[in-house]
Each structure stands twice: as structure tokens, then as C-alpha cells.
Amino acid sequence: MKKEQKVIYYQDELEDEFAGDNIKAKRIDGSYRYLREGAGGRFLHLFWYRVVAYPLACAYMKLHFRHKVVNREVLQQAGDSGYYMYGNHTHFLADALVPTLVNRPKDVYVIVHPNNVSMPVLGRITPSLGAIPLPDDREAMRHFEEALDYRIRKKDCIHIYPEAHIWPYYTDIRPFKEASFGYPVRHKVPVFCLTNTYQKRKHGKRPQMVTYIDGPFYPDAALPVRQQKKMLRDKVYNTMKERAKNSNVELIHYIKRG
């Protein structure tokens, strides 16, 4: 008998969360240390990011998803600049790994929910892996913005999941707000997007993940800031919507409640 397809019912594309981790997020206030650039911090980043995480990411994505990247060469158009990258949020583990793989040899720092630095053990490691949690007060916001400024000066990649919430194996692009596009407008740097799609394999039941890279998109300095943000958001959203059409496997069917 054929296994029935899993169905998830949702009400709000912007707010519903299906990660299922039930982590109690700690408050990110002015005491949170965003930059860890001392000798110890640099060593921990090198160890966890390059020695541990990168080889494991390569192995997992290759063995589990037969991961393939399409159009990665467009990243060369950023030249010697830091940049922002936006992606769809569809897998609890792959979403942490794919940005590192596609942007090598650049270091990648990911803007995350405080959940990601609140786990008992892993939460102590994720900052060394590049997690930048969203702030909860004004002083933390100042340190958060200083960290983004620093990473762009260092010519790193800052990755953002504008959908904000994980919808496992979702094959479309959910609507997202333009607020996060204020960062590349502020820094006047290029924007790229990645779209993870799920496609049939010739052999095996598990889908192949194929990641498409697009860009660069640039803010138009001749426009007011709000319009620059909207223009970037629309370019990224429409590009991702088009790429998402390449998915041809639906492991979970999402249905909006009445």
C-alpha cells in the first residue's frame, strides 16, 4: 500500500512555524557578545567552522540529498566585496549548511532567531559557526548593527532567511517582508539569493536538493530608502518564485485553513 502523503494545515504564511523544536529563547540584550575576534574567538571559529562543520556539511549534503548547486559562478560578480544572500527556509539542518557550501571560500554569517543560540550545548557553538541572533533591546541592536558593519568590512557573506520560519520541504516561496533588505541598502553592497528545490532522483525515494544561485541585485541609490528596500525585496522574491517551479517532489502538502 502506498504511504499517504503528510499534510500540514496552516493559517498565516508570515507567522506559522513548523520546526517543532520547542526551544525557549533567551533574551538577547546589551550584554550579548556579538563580535568574538580575540585569539580564542578566532580559534574557535576556525575549528568549528572549517575543521568540523564544513567537512560534515559536505558529507551530509552529498550523501543525504545528492546536493547540486546551479549558477554558483554569478557570485564572482561581487568581486572583492562583502554581500548579502537570501534563501528559502525549508529544512532544519540543510538550511544551516547550504550557505556555507555555496559561498566558499567566503565565511558566512547567518542572522538567526535567538532560539539558535539558546540550546543547552549547541547554542554555545553556533556563534562560532556564524550565528548572529536578532536583538531584543536597543543596546543589543547597536551591537548587532556593529557586527553587520564589521562583517561587511571583512568582505564576508551575511545570509538571511526572510521567510523567518521553517516549513519543512515546502516547494513554493512564502511572502516575506522588506524590512531585512534595509541591511544591504545601508551597506550599499550586492544581493544574491539561493533557492533550494526538491527534485526527483533517478534512483531512490529521497529527493535531490538542487540549489539555484541568482544575482547580483543592487539597491538603486537614486530612490528613497523605503523604495530601495522594496525593489530589492521584489527582485529576490520574484526570482525565487521562478526558481521554485523546478521542484517536482512534494513530500509534505500544505493546505491553508478555511
Side-chain angles (χ1 to χ4, degrees):
M1 182 180 293
K2 186 177 180 180
K3 185 178 179 181
E4 290 187 8
Q5 183 182 41
K6 183 176 180 179
V7 175
I8 290 179
Y9 293 89
Y10 68 91
Q11 290 182 312
D12 188 340
E13 293 95 331
L14 292 174
E15 299 297 336
D16 285 0
E17 170 71 71
F18 300 111
D21 49 30
N22 298 316
I23 298 168
K24 184 178 180 181
K26 68 180 183 181
R27 179 175 173 78
I28 306 298
D29 58 21
S31 66
Y32 184 82
R33 189 156 54 100
Y34 276 97
L35 290 174
R36 308 175 187 218
E37 290 300 297
R42 291 197 301 271
F43 171 78
L44 287 173
H45 175 70
L46 178 65
F47 175 75
W48 287 113
Y49 191 92
R50 297 291 181 187
V51 178
V52 178
Y54 185 77
L56 288 177
C58 291
Y60 174 81
M61 292 304 298
K62 193 67 175 178
L63 295 173
H64 191 79
F65 281 117
R66 293 291 188 268
H67 185 230
K68 177 182 177 183
V69 181
V70 177
N71 209 33
R72 184 174 178 270
E73 62 272 12
V74 298
L75 296 176
Q76 297 173 10
Q77 295 181 43
D80 193 29
S81 169
Y83 53 79
Y84 284 83
M85 177 172 281
Y86 295 77
N88 54 329
H89 213 4
T90 65
H91 195 274
F92 76 100
L93 182 54
D95 289 352
L97 306 178
V98 170
T100 299
L101 296 179
V102 303
N103 287 287
R104 67 185 190 280
K106 278 188 181 293
D107 278 2
V108 179
Y109 292 83
V110 184
I111 296 178
V112 300
H113 188 277
N115 282 358
N116 292 269
V117 297
S118 303
M119 295 168 280
V121 178
L122 190 57
R124 296 178 178 272
I125 299 173
T126 50
S128 296
L129 293 172
I132 304 178
L134 289 166
D136 285 315
D137 64 25
R138 185 174 296 180
E139 186 179 2
M141 174 61 78
R142 179 169 60 84
H143 297 321
F144 171 81
E145 291 178 344
E146 288 171 351
L148 299 188
D149 295 344
Y150 180 80
R151 294 303 167 199
I152 290 298
R153 288 198 306 272
K154 293 283 285 185
K155 302 174 184 178
D156 296 324
C157 168
I158 298 175
H159 188 88
I160 297 174
Y161 287 105
E163 295 171 325
H165 305 285
I166 296 178
W167 284 25
Y169 296 103
Y170 189 63
T171 56
D172 199 357
I173 305 300
R174 288 166 276 147
F176 48 77
K177 299 176 182 179
E178 63 198 42
S180 66
F181 291 86
Y183 305 132
V185 169
R186 171 182 170 176
H187 290 121
K188 300 179 176 60
V189 293
V191 168
F192 295 89
C193 62
L194 69 80
T195 311
N196 290 322
T197 65
Y198 298 95
Q199 301 184 21
K200 293 179 181 177
R201 291 187 190 178
K202 291 183 178 179
H203 307 286
K205 295 180 179 180
R206 186 180 295 127
Q208 179 184 28
M209 181 182 283
V210 181
T211 300
Y212 297 89
I213 310 298
D214 289 288
F217 310 111
Y218 291 91
D220 185 348
L223 297 174
V225 169
R226 186 172 182 179
Q227 291 184 30
Q228 292 184 56
K229 289 159 58 176
K230 185 179 186 306
M231 181 197 73
L232 282 175
R233 180 267 176 204
D234 290 348
K235 284 184 177 179
V236 167
Y237 179 75
N238 292 331
T239 300
M240 293 173 70
K241 286 283 284 187
E242 193 63 30
R243 288 296 198 183
K245 294 177 182 178
N246 289 299
S247 286
N248 55 22
V249 176
E250 186 182 55
L251 296 185
I252 301 175
H253 186 53
Y254 289 82
I255 299 175
K256 188 165 187 176
R257 294 188 185 276

